[in-house]
Amino acid sequence: TARDGQQVVASFRTDATDPDRALTESQVTLLRMADQFGNHNGGGLAFGPDGYLYIATGDGGGGGDPLGSGRRLDTLLAKVLRIDVDRADPDGAGYTVPADNPFVDVDGALREIWRTGLRNPWRIRFDRATGDLWIGDVGQGAWEEIDRAPAGSGGLGNLTVTNWIRD
């Protein structure tokens, strides 16, 4: 999360002598998303079995998803995004969008969207044995949620949801 509140995805090179040190001057901003509130910023990142980068973004904050970001296809908020960071777009973006992303050919939809219908997916991980995507997402009030998306399935729905009661 940037100081101005926007959600930012950026890449950095590492120092040749200290690979644990990022070079701030090497920053390349890949995505920048306006965020209306100070909470629900997502933040999970993972490379999938397909080699693409998966990015979990929050809904922009507030109680009950007041912006309706979870179901909208015209915002990158409240999603899992999927991009190819190994190939830069000819138009200058530091990534390309995989041709098989589910909303690539949908009018008005943002091509980066892989999975929608979420709220604040703050942690994502791939099952090494099955390739399924596990998503830690917030609920509302007393509930939290863990979702499982079958390997290779993008789009809306087709999630197995487990609700957990928060103390």
Side-chain angles (χ1 to χ4, degrees), residues 39-42 57-66 69-70 77-79 116-122 137-141 145 147:
N39 64 336
H40 288 196
N41 297 326
T57 66
D59 64 8
D65 190 12
S69 302
L77 298 176
K79 309 290 187 295
T116 188
L118 300 164
R119 179 106 187 270
N120 184 38
W122 55 274
D137 197 6
V138 300
Q140 179 68 38
E145 184 174 300
D147 303 315

mmCIF file with all atom_site columns, all heavy atoms in Angstrom, residues 39-42 57-66 69-70 77-79 116-122 137-141 145 147:
data_model
loop_
_atom_site.group_PDB
_atom_site.id
_atom_site.type_symbol
_atom_site.label_atom_id
_atom_site.label_alt_id
_atom_site.label_comp_id
_atom_site.label_asym_id
_atom_site.label_entity_id
_atom_site.label_seq_id
_atom_site.pdbx_PDB_ins_code
_atom_site.Cartn_x
_atom_site.Cartn_y
_atom_site.Cartn_z
_atom_site.occupancy
_atom_site.B_iso_or_equiv
_atom_site.pdbx_formal_charge
_atom_site.auth_seq_id
_atom_site.auth_comp_id
_atom_site.auth_asym_id
_atom_site.auth_atom_id
_atom_site.pdbx_PDB_model_num
ATOM 1   N N   . ASN A 1 39  ? -8.388  0.258   4.875   1.00 0.00 ? 39  ASN A N   1
ATOM 2   C CA  . ASN A 1 39  ? -8.344  -1.173  5.170   1.00 0.00 ? 39  ASN A CA  1
ATOM 3   C C   . ASN A 1 39  ? -8.646  -1.986  3.917   1.00 0.00 ? 39  ASN A C   1
ATOM 4   O O   . ASN A 1 39  ? -8.942  -1.434  2.860   1.00 0.00 ? 39  ASN A O   1
ATOM 5   C CB  . ASN A 1 39  ? -9.330  -1.526  6.288   1.00 0.00 ? 39  ASN A CB  1
ATOM 6   C CG  . ASN A 1 39  ? -10.781 -1.278  5.890   1.00 0.00 ? 39  ASN A CG  1
ATOM 7   O OD1 . ASN A 1 39  ? -11.089 -0.469  5.020   1.00 0.00 ? 39  ASN A OD1 1
ATOM 8   N ND2 . ASN A 1 39  ? -11.679 -1.976  6.538   1.00 0.00 ? 39  ASN A ND2 1
ATOM 9   N N   . HIS A 1 40  ? -8.569  -3.280  4.024   1.00 0.00 ? 40  HIS A N   1
ATOM 10  C CA  . HIS A 1 40  ? -8.848  -4.224  2.930   1.00 0.00 ? 40  HIS A CA  1
ATOM 11  C C   . HIS A 1 40  ? -7.973  -3.959  1.708   1.00 0.00 ? 40  HIS A C   1
ATOM 12  O O   . HIS A 1 40  ? -8.457  -3.643  0.631   1.00 0.00 ? 40  HIS A O   1
ATOM 13  C CB  . HIS A 1 40  ? -10.329 -4.210  2.545   1.00 0.00 ? 40  HIS A CB  1
ATOM 14  C CG  . HIS A 1 40  ? -11.193 -4.851  3.561   1.00 0.00 ? 40  HIS A CG  1
ATOM 15  N ND1 . HIS A 1 40  ? -12.474 -5.232  3.298   1.00 0.00 ? 40  HIS A ND1 1
ATOM 16  C CD2 . HIS A 1 40  ? -10.962 -5.202  4.842   1.00 0.00 ? 40  HIS A CD2 1
ATOM 17  C CE1 . HIS A 1 40  ? -12.996 -5.766  4.383   1.00 0.00 ? 40  HIS A CE1 1
ATOM 18  N NE2 . HIS A 1 40  ? -12.092 -5.762  5.329   1.00 0.00 ? 40  HIS A NE2 1
ATOM 19  N N   . ASN A 1 41  ? -6.674  -4.123  1.897   1.00 0.00 ? 41  ASN A N   1
ATOM 20  C CA  . ASN A 1 41  ? -5.722  -3.895  0.826   1.00 0.00 ? 41  ASN A CA  1
ATOM 21  C C   . ASN A 1 41  ? -5.179  -5.183  0.217   1.00 0.00 ? 41  ASN A C   1
ATOM 22  O O   . ASN A 1 41  ? -4.274  -5.134  -0.599  1.00 0.00 ? 41  ASN A O   1
ATOM 23  C CB  . ASN A 1 41  ? -4.561  -3.037  1.336   1.00 0.00 ? 41  ASN A CB  1
ATOM 24  C CG  . ASN A 1 41  ? -5.045  -1.674  1.762   1.00 0.00 ? 41  ASN A CG  1
ATOM 25  O OD1 . ASN A 1 41  ? -5.964  -1.121  1.187   1.00 0.00 ? 41  ASN A OD1 1
ATOM 26  N ND2 . ASN A 1 41  ? -4.452  -1.138  2.797   1.00 0.00 ? 41  ASN A ND2 1
ATOM 27  N N   . GLY A 1 42  ? -5.728  -6.331  0.619   1.00 0.00 ? 42  GLY A N   1
ATOM 28  C CA  . GLY A 1 42  ? -5.248  -7.591  0.062   1.00 0.00 ? 42  GLY A CA  1
ATOM 29  C C   . GLY A 1 42  ? -3.777  -7.779  0.353   1.00 0.00 ? 42  GLY A C   1
ATOM 30  O O   . GLY A 1 42  ? -3.324  -7.547  1.462   1.00 0.00 ? 42  GLY A O   1
ATOM 31  N N   . THR A 1 57  ? -5.937  -8.672  -4.383  1.00 0.00 ? 57  THR A N   1
ATOM 32  C CA  . THR A 1 57  ? -6.209  -7.269  -4.076  1.00 0.00 ? 57  THR A CA  1
ATOM 33  C C   . THR A 1 57  ? -7.464  -7.161  -3.219  1.00 0.00 ? 57  THR A C   1
ATOM 34  O O   . THR A 1 57  ? -8.404  -7.933  -3.375  1.00 0.00 ? 57  THR A O   1
ATOM 35  C CB  . THR A 1 57  ? -6.411  -6.435  -5.354  1.00 0.00 ? 57  THR A CB  1
ATOM 36  O OG1 . THR A 1 57  ? -7.595  -6.868  -6.029  1.00 0.00 ? 57  THR A OG1 1
ATOM 37  C CG2 . THR A 1 57  ? -5.217  -6.575  -6.294  1.00 0.00 ? 57  THR A CG2 1
ATOM 38  N N   . GLY A 1 58  ? -7.470  -6.188  -2.320  1.00 0.00 ? 58  GLY A N   1
ATOM 39  C CA  . GLY A 1 58  ? -8.635  -5.960  -1.474  1.00 0.00 ? 58  GLY A CA  1
ATOM 40  C C   . GLY A 1 58  ? -9.703  -5.140  -2.181  1.00 0.00 ? 58  GLY A C   1
ATOM 41  O O   . GLY A 1 58  ? -9.482  -4.589  -3.265  1.00 0.00 ? 58  GLY A O   1
ATOM 42  N N   . ASP A 1 59  ? -10.863 -5.032  -1.537  1.00 0.00 ? 59  ASP A N   1
ATOM 43  C CA  . ASP A 1 59  ? -12.026 -4.393  -2.168  1.00 0.00 ? 59  ASP A CA  1
ATOM 44  C C   . ASP A 1 59  ? -12.056 -2.878  -2.061  1.00 0.00 ? 59  ASP A C   1
ATOM 45  O O   . ASP A 1 59  ? -12.988 -2.245  -2.527  1.00 0.00 ? 59  ASP A O   1
ATOM 46  C CB  . ASP A 1 59  ? -13.328 -4.974  -1.614  1.00 0.00 ? 59  ASP A CB  1
ATOM 47  C CG  . ASP A 1 59  ? -13.546 -4.700  -0.135  1.00 0.00 ? 59  ASP A CG  1
ATOM 48  O OD1 . ASP A 1 59  ? -12.770 -3.922  0.474   1.00 0.00 ? 59  ASP A OD1 1
ATOM 49  O OD2 . ASP A 1 59  ? -14.491 -5.265  0.425   1.00 0.00 ? 59  ASP A OD2 1
ATOM 50  N N   . GLY A 1 60  ? -11.051 -2.292  -1.479  1.00 0.00 ? 60  GLY A N   1
ATOM 51  C CA  . GLY A 1 60  ? -11.035 -0.844  -1.325  1.00 0.00 ? 60  GLY A CA  1
ATOM 52  C C   . GLY A 1 60  ? -11.480 -0.402  0.049   1.00 0.00 ? 60  GLY A C   1
ATOM 53  O O   . GLY A 1 60  ? -11.431 0.769   0.379   1.00 0.00 ? 60  GLY A O   1
ATOM 54  N N   . GLY A 1 61  ? -11.931 -1.350  0.886   1.00 0.00 ? 61  GLY A N   1
ATOM 55  C CA  . GLY A 1 61  ? -12.235 -1.081  2.281   1.00 0.00 ? 61  GLY A CA  1
ATOM 56  C C   . GLY A 1 61  ? -13.674 -0.736  2.576   1.00 0.00 ? 61  GLY A C   1
ATOM 57  O O   . GLY A 1 61  ? -14.547 -0.787  1.716   1.00 0.00 ? 61  GLY A O   1
ATOM 58  N N   . GLY A 1 62  ? -13.876 -0.407  3.840   1.00 0.00 ? 62  GLY A N   1
ATOM 59  C CA  . GLY A 1 62  ? -15.219 -0.122  4.321   1.00 0.00 ? 62  GLY A CA  1
ATOM 60  C C   . GLY A 1 62  ? -15.965 -1.406  4.627   1.00 0.00 ? 62  GLY A C   1
ATOM 61  O O   . GLY A 1 62  ? -15.602 -2.481  4.172   1.00 0.00 ? 62  GLY A O   1
ATOM 62  N N   . GLY A 1 63  ? -16.997 -1.339  5.414   1.00 0.00 ? 63  GLY A N   1
ATOM 63  C CA  . GLY A 1 63  ? -17.794 -2.507  5.770   1.00 0.00 ? 63  GLY A CA  1
ATOM 64  C C   . GLY A 1 63  ? -18.743 -2.911  4.657   1.00 0.00 ? 63  GLY A C   1
ATOM 65  O O   . GLY A 1 63  ? -19.398 -2.066  4.050   1.00 0.00 ? 63  GLY A O   1
ATOM 66  N N   . GLY A 1 64  ? -18.813 -4.208  4.370   1.00 0.00 ? 64  GLY A N   1
ATOM 67  C CA  . GLY A 1 64  ? -19.795 -4.719  3.414   1.00 0.00 ? 64  GLY A CA  1
ATOM 68  C C   . GLY A 1 64  ? -19.510 -4.407  1.950   1.00 0.00 ? 64  GLY A C   1
ATOM 69  O O   . GLY A 1 64  ? -20.430 -4.420  1.143   1.00 0.00 ? 64  GLY A O   1
ATOM 70  N N   . ASP A 1 65  ? -18.272 -4.120  1.575   1.00 0.00 ? 65  ASP A N   1
ATOM 71  C CA  . ASP A 1 65  ? -17.901 -3.812  0.192   1.00 0.00 ? 65  ASP A CA  1
ATOM 72  C C   . ASP A 1 65  ? -18.782 -2.711  -0.403  1.00 0.00 ? 65  ASP A C   1
ATOM 73  O O   . ASP A 1 65  ? -19.519 -2.918  -1.373  1.00 0.00 ? 65  ASP A O   1
ATOM 74  C CB  . ASP A 1 65  ? -17.956 -5.079  -0.675  1.00 0.00 ? 65  ASP A CB  1
ATOM 75  C CG  . ASP A 1 65  ? -17.344 -4.882  -2.065  1.00 0.00 ? 65  ASP A CG  1
ATOM 76  O OD1 . ASP A 1 65  ? -16.671 -3.868  -2.303  1.00 0.00 ? 65  ASP A OD1 1
ATOM 77  O OD2 . ASP A 1 65  ? -17.565 -5.747  -2.934  1.00 0.00 ? 65  ASP A OD2 1
ATOM 78  N N   . PRO A 1 66  ? -18.717 -1.491  0.157   1.00 0.00 ? 66  PRO A N   1
ATOM 79  C CA  . PRO A 1 66  ? -19.605 -0.412  -0.293  1.00 0.00 ? 66  PRO A CA  1
ATOM 80  C C   . PRO A 1 66  ? -19.416 -0.004  -1.754  1.00 0.00 ? 66  PRO A C   1
ATOM 81  O O   . PRO A 1 66  ? -20.321 0.573   -2.350  1.00 0.00 ? 66  PRO A O   1
ATOM 82  C CB  . PRO A 1 66  ? -19.269 0.748   0.641   1.00 0.00 ? 66  PRO A CB  1
ATOM 83  C CG  . PRO A 1 66  ? -17.883 0.473   1.113   1.00 0.00 ? 66  PRO A CG  1
ATOM 84  C CD  . PRO A 1 66  ? -17.778 -1.036  1.182   1.00 0.00 ? 66  PRO A CD  1
ATOM 85  N N   . SER A 1 69  ? -16.990 -3.785  -5.330  1.00 0.00 ? 69  SER A N   1
ATOM 86  C CA  . SER A 1 69  ? -15.820 -4.210  -6.099  1.00 0.00 ? 69  SER A CA  1
ATOM 87  C C   . SER A 1 69  ? -15.754 -5.712  -6.338  1.00 0.00 ? 69  SER A C   1
ATOM 88  O O   . SER A 1 69  ? -15.226 -6.157  -7.359  1.00 0.00 ? 69  SER A O   1
ATOM 89  C CB  . SER A 1 69  ? -14.540 -3.775  -5.374  1.00 0.00 ? 69  SER A CB  1
ATOM 90  O OG  . SER A 1 69  ? -14.520 -2.385  -5.190  1.00 0.00 ? 69  SER A OG  1
ATOM 91  N N   . GLY A 1 70  ? -16.294 -6.507  -5.416  1.00 0.00 ? 70  GLY A N   1
ATOM 92  C CA  . GLY A 1 70  ? -16.178 -7.959  -5.509  1.00 0.00 ? 70  GLY A CA  1
ATOM 93  C C   . GLY A 1 70  ? -16.754 -8.560  -6.771  1.00 0.00 ? 70  GLY A C   1
ATOM 94  O O   . GLY A 1 70  ? -16.239 -9.539  -7.294  1.00 0.00 ? 70  GLY A O   1
ATOM 95  N N   . LEU A 1 77  ? -9.888  -4.167  -7.994  1.00 0.00 ? 77  LEU A N   1
ATOM 96  C CA  . LEU A 1 77  ? -10.063 -4.381  -6.559  1.00 0.00 ? 77  LEU A CA  1
ATOM 97  C C   . LEU A 1 77  ? -10.905 -5.623  -6.286  1.00 0.00 ? 77  LEU A C   1
ATOM 98  O O   . LEU A 1 77  ? -11.805 -5.965  -7.049  1.00 0.00 ? 77  LEU A O   1
ATOM 99  C CB  . LEU A 1 77  ? -10.725 -3.151  -5.927  1.00 0.00 ? 77  LEU A CB  1
ATOM 100 C CG  . LEU A 1 77  ? -9.944  -1.838  -6.032  1.00 0.00 ? 77  LEU A CG  1
ATOM 101 C CD1 . LEU A 1 77  ? -10.763 -0.698  -5.457  1.00 0.00 ? 77  LEU A CD1 1
ATOM 102 C CD2 . LEU A 1 77  ? -8.591  -1.936  -5.351  1.00 0.00 ? 77  LEU A CD2 1
ATOM 103 N N   . ALA A 1 78  ? -10.615 -6.290  -5.162  1.00 0.00 ? 78  ALA A N   1
ATOM 104 C CA  . ALA A 1 78  ? -11.350 -7.473  -4.683  1.00 0.00 ? 78  ALA A CA  1
ATOM 105 C C   . ALA A 1 78  ? -11.231 -8.645  -5.646  1.00 0.00 ? 78  ALA A C   1
ATOM 106 O O   . ALA A 1 78  ? -12.198 -9.314  -5.957  1.00 0.00 ? 78  ALA A O   1
ATOM 107 C CB  . ALA A 1 78  ? -12.812 -7.137  -4.401  1.00 0.00 ? 78  ALA A CB  1
ATOM 108 N N   . LYS A 1 79  ? -10.031 -8.882  -6.111  1.00 0.00 ? 79  LYS A N   1
ATOM 109 C CA  . LYS A 1 79  ? -9.801  -9.903  -7.126  1.00 0.00 ? 79  LYS A CA  1
ATOM 110 C C   . LYS A 1 79  ? -8.538  -10.688 -6.819  1.00 0.00 ? 79  LYS A C   1
ATOM 111 O O   . LYS A 1 79  ? -7.724  -10.313 -6.001  1.00 0.00 ? 79  LYS A O   1
ATOM 112 C CB  . LYS A 1 79  ? -9.598  -9.250  -8.508  1.00 0.00 ? 79  LYS A CB  1
ATOM 113 C CG  . LYS A 1 79  ? -10.640 -8.256  -8.943  1.00 0.00 ? 79  LYS A CG  1
ATOM 114 C CD  . LYS A 1 79  ? -11.967 -8.886  -9.258  1.00 0.00 ? 79  LYS A CD  1
ATOM 115 C CE  . LYS A 1 79  ? -12.966 -7.933  -9.844  1.00 0.00 ? 79  LYS A CE  1
ATOM 116 N NZ  . LYS A 1 79  ? -13.412 -6.850  -8.993  1.00 0.00 ? 79  LYS A NZ  1
ATOM 117 N N   . THR A 1 116 ? -12.767 -13.473 -9.428  1.00 0.00 ? 116 THR A N   1
ATOM 118 C CA  . THR A 1 116 ? -13.542 -12.381 -8.856  1.00 0.00 ? 116 THR A CA  1
ATOM 119 C C   . THR A 1 116 ? -14.532 -12.940 -7.839  1.00 0.00 ? 116 THR A C   1
ATOM 120 O O   . THR A 1 116 ? -14.564 -14.141 -7.600  1.00 0.00 ? 116 THR A O   1
ATOM 121 C CB  . THR A 1 116 ? -14.248 -11.570 -9.972  1.00 0.00 ? 116 THR A CB  1
ATOM 122 O OG1 . THR A 1 116 ? -14.832 -10.415 -9.399  1.00 0.00 ? 116 THR A OG1 1
ATOM 123 C CG2 . THR A 1 116 ? -15.288 -12.382 -10.702 1.00 0.00 ? 116 THR A CG2 1
ATOM 124 N N   . GLY A 1 117 ? -15.327 -12.065 -7.216  1.00 0.00 ? 117 GLY A N   1
ATOM 125 C CA  . GLY A 1 117 ? -16.279 -12.512 -6.203  1.00 0.00 ? 117 GLY A CA  1
ATOM 126 C C   . GLY A 1 117 ? -15.653 -12.615 -4.831  1.00 0.00 ? 117 GLY A C   1
ATOM 127 O O   . GLY A 1 117 ? -16.168 -13.301 -3.955  1.00 0.00 ? 117 GLY A O   1
ATOM 128 N N   . LEU A 1 118 ? -14.543 -11.917 -4.628  1.00 0.00 ? 118 LEU A N   1
ATOM 129 C CA  . LEU A 1 118 ? -13.843 -11.950 -3.347  1.00 0.00 ? 118 LEU A CA  1
ATOM 130 C C   . LEU A 1 118 ? -14.049 -10.639 -2.615  1.00 0.00 ? 118 LEU A C   1
ATOM 131 O O   . LEU A 1 118 ? -14.747 -9.749  -3.093  1.00 0.00 ? 118 LEU A O   1
ATOM 132 C CB  . LEU A 1 118 ? -12.357 -12.236 -3.583  1.00 0.00 ? 118 LEU A CB  1
ATOM 133 C CG  . LEU A 1 118 ? -12.086 -13.575 -4.270  1.00 0.00 ? 118 LEU A CG  1
ATOM 134 C CD1 . LEU A 1 118 ? -10.674 -13.616 -4.829  1.00 0.00 ? 118 LEU A CD1 1
ATOM 135 C CD2 . LEU A 1 118 ? -12.330 -14.726 -3.313  1.00 0.00 ? 118 LEU A CD2 1
ATOM 136 N N   . ARG A 1 119 ? -13.433 -10.515 -1.464  1.00 0.00 ? 119 ARG A N   1
ATOM 137 C CA  . ARG A 1 119 ? -13.580 -9.299  -0.666  1.00 0.00 ? 119 ARG A CA  1
ATOM 138 C C   . ARG A 1 119 ? -12.214 -8.691  -0.367  1.00 0.00 ? 119 ARG A C   1
ATOM 139 O O   . ARG A 1 119 ? -11.886 -7.622  -0.795  1.00 0.00 ? 119 ARG A O   1
ATOM 140 C CB  . ARG A 1 119 ? -14.307 -9.660  0.634   1.00 0.00 ? 119 ARG A CB  1
ATOM 141 C CG  . ARG A 1 119 ? -14.502 -8.508  1.566   1.00 0.00 ? 119 ARG A CG  1
ATOM 142 C CD  . ARG A 1 119 ? -15.947 -8.048  1.577   1.00 0.00 ? 119 ARG A CD  1
ATOM 143 N NE  . ARG A 1 119 ? -16.069 -6.859  2.354   1.00 0.00 ? 119 ARG A NE  1
ATOM 144 C CZ  . ARG A 1 119 ? -16.315 -6.845  3.662   1.00 0.00 ? 119 ARG A CZ  1
ATOM 145 N NH1 . ARG A 1 119 ? -16.518 -7.959  4.322   1.00 0.00 ? 119 ARG A NH1 1
ATOM 146 N NH2 . ARG A 1 119 ? -16.384 -5.704  4.299   1.00 0.00 ? 119 ARG A NH2 1
ATOM 147 N N   . ASN A 1 120 ? -11.424 -9.409  0.410   1.00 0.00 ? 120 ASN A N   1
ATOM 148 C CA  . ASN A 1 120 ? -10.081 -8.959  0.750   1.00 0.00 ? 120 ASN A CA  1
ATOM 149 C C   . ASN A 1 120 ? -9.178  -10.182 0.842   1.00 0.00 ? 120 ASN A C   1
ATOM 150 O O   . ASN A 1 120 ? -8.797  -10.597 1.927   1.00 0.00 ? 120 ASN A O   1
ATOM 151 C CB  . ASN A 1 120 ? -10.080 -8.184  2.072   1.00 0.00 ? 120 ASN A CB  1
ATOM 152 C CG  . ASN A 1 120 ? -8.712  -7.631  2.398   1.00 0.00 ? 120 ASN A CG  1
ATOM 153 O OD1 . ASN A 1 120 ? -7.976  -7.189  1.533   1.00 0.00 ? 120 ASN A OD1 1
ATOM 154 N ND2 . ASN A 1 120 ? -8.348  -7.661  3.667   1.00 0.00 ? 120 ASN A ND2 1
ATOM 155 N N   . PRO A 1 121 ? -8.847  -10.777 -0.304  1.00 0.00 ? 121 PRO A N   1
ATOM 156 C CA  . PRO A 1 121 ? -8.008  -11.974 -0.275  1.00 0.00 ? 121 PRO A CA  1
ATOM 157 C C   . PRO A 1 121 ? -6.584  -11.617 0.153   1.00 0.00 ? 121 PRO A C   1
ATOM 158 O O   . PRO A 1 121 ? -5.769  -11.180 -0.646  1.00 0.00 ? 121 PRO A O   1
ATOM 159 C CB  . PRO A 1 121 ? -8.067  -12.480 -1.717  1.00 0.00 ? 121 PRO A CB  1
ATOM 160 C CG  . PRO A 1 121 ? -8.349  -11.263 -2.526  1.00 0.00 ? 121 PRO A CG  1
ATOM 161 C CD  . PRO A 1 121 ? -9.185  -10.375 -1.658  1.00 0.00 ? 121 PRO A CD  1
ATOM 162 N N   . TRP A 1 122 ? -6.318  -11.797 1.417   1.00 0.00 ? 122 TRP A N   1
ATOM 163 C CA  . TRP A 1 122 ? -5.057  -11.342 1.996   1.00 0.00 ? 122 TRP A CA  1
ATOM 164 C C   . TRP A 1 122 ? -3.949  -12.379 1.912   1.00 0.00 ? 122 TRP A C   1
ATOM 165 O O   . TRP A 1 122 ? -2.775  -12.054 2.072   1.00 0.00 ? 122 TRP A O   1
ATOM 166 C CB  . TRP A 1 122 ? -5.271  -10.897 3.444   1.00 0.00 ? 122 TRP A CB  1
ATOM 167 C CG  . TRP A 1 122 ? -5.903  -11.948 4.296   1.00 0.00 ? 122 TRP A CG  1
ATOM 168 C CD1 . TRP A 1 122 ? -7.240  -12.200 4.439   1.00 0.00 ? 122 TRP A CD1 1
ATOM 169 C CD2 . TRP A 1 122 ? -5.233  -12.912 5.089   1.00 0.00 ? 122 TRP A CD2 1
ATOM 170 N NE1 . TRP A 1 122 ? -7.439  -13.265 5.275   1.00 0.00 ? 122 TRP A NE1 1
ATOM 171 C CE2 . TRP A 1 122 ? -6.212  -13.722 5.712   1.00 0.00 ? 122 TRP A CE2 1
ATOM 172 C CE3 . TRP A 1 122 ? -3.882  -13.171 5.368   1.00 0.00 ? 122 TRP A CE3 1
ATOM 173 C CZ2 . TRP A 1 122 ? -5.903  -14.762 6.559   1.00 0.00 ? 122 TRP A CZ2 1
ATOM 174 C CZ3 . TRP A 1 122 ? -3.577  -14.208 6.225   1.00 0.00 ? 122 TRP A CZ3 1
ATOM 175 C CH2 . TRP A 1 122 ? -4.578  -14.983 6.806   1.00 0.00 ? 122 TRP A CH2 1
ATOM 176 N N   . ASP A 1 137 ? -9.636  -15.206 2.752   1.00 0.00 ? 137 ASP A N   1
ATOM 177 C CA  . ASP A 1 137 ? -10.420 -14.004 2.460   1.00 0.00 ? 137 ASP A CA  1
ATOM 178 C C   . ASP A 1 137 ? -11.154 -13.588 3.738   1.00 0.00 ? 137 ASP A C   1
ATOM 179 O O   . ASP A 1 137 ? -11.478 -14.432 4.566   1.00 0.00 ? 137 ASP A O   1
ATOM 180 C CB  . ASP A 1 137 ? -11.424 -14.319 1.345   1.00 0.00 ? 137 ASP A CB  1
ATOM 181 C CG  . ASP A 1 137 ? -12.009 -13.084 0.683   1.00 0.00 ? 137 ASP A CG  1
ATOM 182 O OD1 . ASP A 1 137 ? -11.571 -11.961 0.999   1.00 0.00 ? 137 ASP A OD1 1
ATOM 183 O OD2 . ASP A 1 137 ? -12.900 -13.250 -0.165  1.00 0.00 ? 137 ASP A OD2 1
ATOM 184 N N   . VAL A 1 138 ? -11.446 -12.317 3.878   1.00 0.00 ? 138 VAL A N   1
ATOM 185 C CA  . VAL A 1 138 ? -12.190 -11.862 5.052   1.00 0.00 ? 138 VAL A CA  1
ATOM 186 C C   . VAL A 1 138 ? -13.679 -12.095 4.854   1.00 0.00 ? 138 VAL A C   1
ATOM 187 O O   . VAL A 1 138 ? -14.173 -12.138 3.732   1.00 0.00 ? 138 VAL A O   1
ATOM 188 C CB  . VAL A 1 138 ? -11.951 -10.368 5.369   1.00 0.00 ? 138 VAL A CB  1
ATOM 189 C CG1 . VAL A 1 138 ? -10.507 -10.095 5.647   1.00 0.00 ? 138 VAL A CG1 1
ATOM 190 C CG2 . VAL A 1 138 ? -12.464 -9.476  4.265   1.00 0.00 ? 138 VAL A CG2 1
ATOM 191 N N   . GLY A 1 139 ? -14.355 -12.247 5.948   1.00 0.00 ? 139 GLY A N   1
ATOM 192 C CA  . GLY A 1 139 ? -15.811 -12.325 5.931   1.00 0.00 ? 139 GLY A CA  1
ATOM 193 C C   . GLY A 1 139 ? -16.360 -10.972 6.347   1.00 0.00 ? 139 GLY A C   1
ATOM 194 O O   . GLY A 1 139 ? -15.799 -9.928  6.014   1.00 0.00 ? 139 GLY A O   1
ATOM 195 N N   . GLN A 1 140 ? -17.416 -10.992 7.108   1.00 0.00 ? 140 GLN A N   1
ATOM 196 C CA  . GLN A 1 140 ? -17.989 -9.754  7.648   1.00 0.00 ? 140 GLN A CA  1
ATOM 197 C C   . GLN A 1 140 ? -18.356 -10.033 9.092   1.00 0.00 ? 140 GLN A C   1
ATOM 198 O O   . GLN A 1 140 ? -19.042 -11.005 9.376   1.00 0.00 ? 140 GLN A O   1
ATOM 199 C CB  . GLN A 1 140 ? -19.238 -9.349  6.859   1.00 0.00 ? 140 GLN A CB  1
ATOM 200 C CG  . GLN A 1 140 ? -19.905 -8.090  7.365   1.00 0.00 ? 140 GLN A CG  1
ATOM 201 C CD  . GLN A 1 140 ? -19.072 -6.844  7.128   1.00 0.00 ? 140 GLN A CD  1
ATOM 202 O OE1 . GLN A 1 140 ? -18.426 -6.682  6.116   1.00 0.00 ? 140 GLN A OE1 1
ATOM 203 N NE2 . GLN A 1 140 ? -19.090 -5.944  8.083   1.00 0.00 ? 140 GLN A NE2 1
ATOM 204 N N   . GLY A 1 141 ? -17.883 -9.214  10.006  1.00 0.00 ? 141 GLY A N   1
ATOM 205 C CA  . GLY A 1 141 ? -18.212 -9.390  11.408  1.00 0.00 ? 141 GLY A CA  1
ATOM 206 C C   . GLY A 1 141 ? -17.519 -10.598 12.018  1.00 0.00 ? 141 GLY A C   1
ATOM 207 O O   . GLY A 1 141 ? -16.320 -10.628 12.166  1.00 0.00 ? 141 GLY A O   1
ATOM 208 N N   . GLU A 1 145 ? -13.061 -16.541 5.948   1.00 0.00 ? 145 GLU A N   1
ATOM 209 C CA  . GLU A 1 145 ? -13.340 -17.467 4.866   1.00 0.00 ? 145 GLU A CA  1
ATOM 210 C C   . GLU A 1 145 ? -12.048 -18.006 4.279   1.00 0.00 ? 145 GLU A C   1
ATOM 211 O O   . GLU A 1 145 ? -11.067 -17.280 4.146   1.00 0.00 ? 145 GLU A O   1
ATOM 212 C CB  . GLU A 1 145 ? -14.118 -16.684 3.808   1.00 0.00 ? 145 GLU A CB  1
ATOM 213 C CG  . GLU A 1 145 ? -14.603 -17.454 2.635   1.00 0.00 ? 145 GLU A CG  1
ATOM 214 C CD  . GLU A 1 145 ? -15.487 -16.566 1.756   1.00 0.00 ? 145 GLU A CD  1
ATOM 215 O OE1 . GLU A 1 145 ? -16.529 -16.074 2.240   1.00 0.00 ? 145 GLU A OE1 1
ATOM 216 O OE2 . GLU A 1 145 ? -15.122 -16.380 0.590   1.00 0.00 ? 145 GLU A OE2 1
ATOM 217 N N   . ASP A 1 147 ? -11.159 -20.114 0.753   1.00 0.00 ? 147 ASP A N   1
ATOM 218 C CA  . ASP A 1 147 ? -11.717 -20.591 -0.506  1.00 0.00 ? 147 ASP A CA  1
ATOM 219 C C   . ASP A 1 147 ? -10.703 -21.490 -1.207  1.00 0.00 ? 147 ASP A C   1
ATOM 220 O O   . ASP A 1 147 ? -9.496  -21.275 -1.095  1.00 0.00 ? 147 ASP A O   1
ATOM 221 C CB  . ASP A 1 147 ? -12.032 -19.416 -1.444  1.00 0.00 ? 147 ASP A CB  1
ATOM 222 C CG  . ASP A 1 147 ? -12.977 -18.410 -0.823  1.00 0.00 ? 147 ASP A CG  1
ATOM 223 O OD1 . ASP A 1 147 ? -13.972 -18.833 -0.232  1.00 0.00 ? 147 ASP A OD1 1
ATOM 224 O OD2 . ASP A 1 147 ? -12.713 -17.206 -0.938  1.00 0.00 ? 147 ASP A OD2 1
#
